[in-house]
Amino acid sequence: LGRGDLNLNLSGTYVSRYKVQDRPGGPIYDAAGATNDRRTAPPQSDLRFNARATWTSGRHSITGLLRYYSPLEFTLDPTVEISAFTPLDLAYTYTMDIGGRATQLTFGSTNVLHEGPPVVPPPGFQPFIPGLHDTRGRAVWFKVGVTF
């Protein structure tokens, strides 16, 4: 890339089976990839991953993070699939020396493309899945970090 360094990172989890029994002696079911409405198991994407790219040049760095949550089977109506959720986050960091200490000023945004959470239809308890999907939309933030 000419000037600078590029760091790429991919991490993820695939859940092939998630066996759950709601009560002793009750039926055992596979909760992977399902919303699990009216069950004791939480909503569980069967595939989640984070793909991160960071470019650094001198005192500047830019990071992009793509988060992926796979589609879910709607437990109350297995013919319905809740869409995947893939928000993109971006951040810019400037590093400087203040009083002999490395100081980072970072400006960033989560869910830059303002992707809304997938809709969970009635009779779901809520129109979204709070454990997986962020309903806040785009958020902008600023951070100062000092190394001691």
Side-chain angles (χ1 to χ4, degrees):
L1 292 176
R3 249 180 84 175
D5 297 312
L6 180 64
N7 181 305
L8 301 174
N9 180 278
L10 178 65
S11 61
T13 302
Y14 176 71
V15 179
S16 62
R17 287 184 313 276
Y18 181 37
K19 300 294 183 186
V20 177
Q21 186 177 37
D22 289 337
R23 63 187 180 288
I28 296 173
Y29 59 91
D30 185 5
T35 57
N36 297 313
D37 294 273
R38 300 183 187 147
R39 295 176 169 175
T40 58
Q44 179 67 50
S45 287
D46 53 6
L47 177 63
R48 296 184 196 191
F49 71 79
N50 292 331
R52 180 186 312 266
T54 300
W55 176 73
T56 304
S57 180
R59 297 176 176 267
H60 307 274
S61 69
I62 298 173
T63 299
L65 172 65
L66 185 69
R67 297 176 284 139
Y68 175 79
Y69 304 86
S70 65
L72 297 168
E73 176 188 290
F74 184 41
T75 310
L76 299 178
D77 182 355
T79 64
V80 174
E81 181 178 85
I82 308 302
S83 301
F85 185 55
T86 314
L88 172 66
D89 306 338
L90 294 174
Y92 165 78
T93 301
Y94 180 75
T95 302
M96 62 183 147
D97 185 61
I98 297 180
R101 302 204 184 273
T103 304
Q104 298 85 28
L105 304 176
T106 305
F107 173 78
S109 179
T110 56
N111 198 356
V112 172
L113 303 176
H114 197 58
E115 180 179 356
V119 175
V120 177
F125 177 68
Q126 299 182 78
F128 63 94
I129 301 173
L132 296 177
H133 307 139
D134 190 346
T135 61
R136 296 175 296 175
R138 182 182 310 115
V140 176
W141 52 270
F142 180 75
K143 176 175 84 171
V144 176
V146 178
T147 303
F148 290 95

